[in-house]
Amino acid sequence: MRPTSLRALSAIANSENMRMRRWDFVAAYLQGNLEHDEVVYCHAPPGYATIGADGRPRVCRIEKPVYGMAQAGRRWQRSLFPWLIEFGFTQCKSDPYVFTMTKRVGGELHRL
């Protein structure tokens, strides 16, 4: 989220006497998927043999995005954003990381 978006949302929430909440998704990067033709390798982690029986260095093929990978955030975003839109959220045009939803529940107006 852009700092200007956070300031604007804070101002709106303050002017309308609304509470603000933020979600932090634990291990969110593990929920994304690599593209079917995307192949990523890394060095073997500590504790694993780094040299094979043939004397060549060993590497590991990554099957899921992990924290720290350049692709990890984008892969998770491609999983999350379509779900938010399908669930009824609207993506903000000026900041694609901001989603909103307005619903009426029991006569009360709720903005998410």
Side-chain angles (χ1 to χ4, degrees):
M1 177 184 296
R2 297 178 181 150
T4 53
S5 298
L6 180 58
R7 285 194 298 272
L9 291 171
S10 297
I12 292 168
N14 185 48
S15 70
E16 297 190 21
N17 199 27
M18 299 170 74
R19 289 182 298 168
M20 287 188 66
R21 292 188 183 160
R22 179 179 74 86
W23 292 302
D24 187 13
F25 297 92
V26 177
Y29 290 125
L30 301 176
Q31 305 308 313
N33 292 306
L34 294 174
E35 296 293 319
H36 71 280
D37 60 344
E38 187 174 22
V39 180
V40 179
Y41 293 97
C42 72
H43 294 286
Y48 285 84
T50 56
I51 303 295
D54 58 1
R56 295 182 1 193
R58 287 192 174 186
V59 295
C60 298
R61 182 175 178 175
I62 304 293
E63 294 183 4
K64 297 280 279 179
V66 294
Y67 187 80
M69 283 178 57
Q71 303 95 323
R74 178 74 178 125
R75 297 302 172 258
W76 185 69
Q77 173 188 328
R78 282 211 309 254
S79 299
L80 176 66
F81 284 15
W83 181 86
L84 289 171
I85 292 167
E86 183 181 325
F87 194 72
F89 283 86
T90 302
Q91 191 172 23
C92 180
K93 289 183 178 19
S94 62
D95 187 342
Y97 296 94
V98 174
F99 289 81
T100 60
M101 178 193 293
T102 303
K103 288 210 174 213
R104 192 167 293 278
V105 179
E108 292 183 356
L109 188 64
H110 293 265
R111 291 189 184 147
L112 306 172

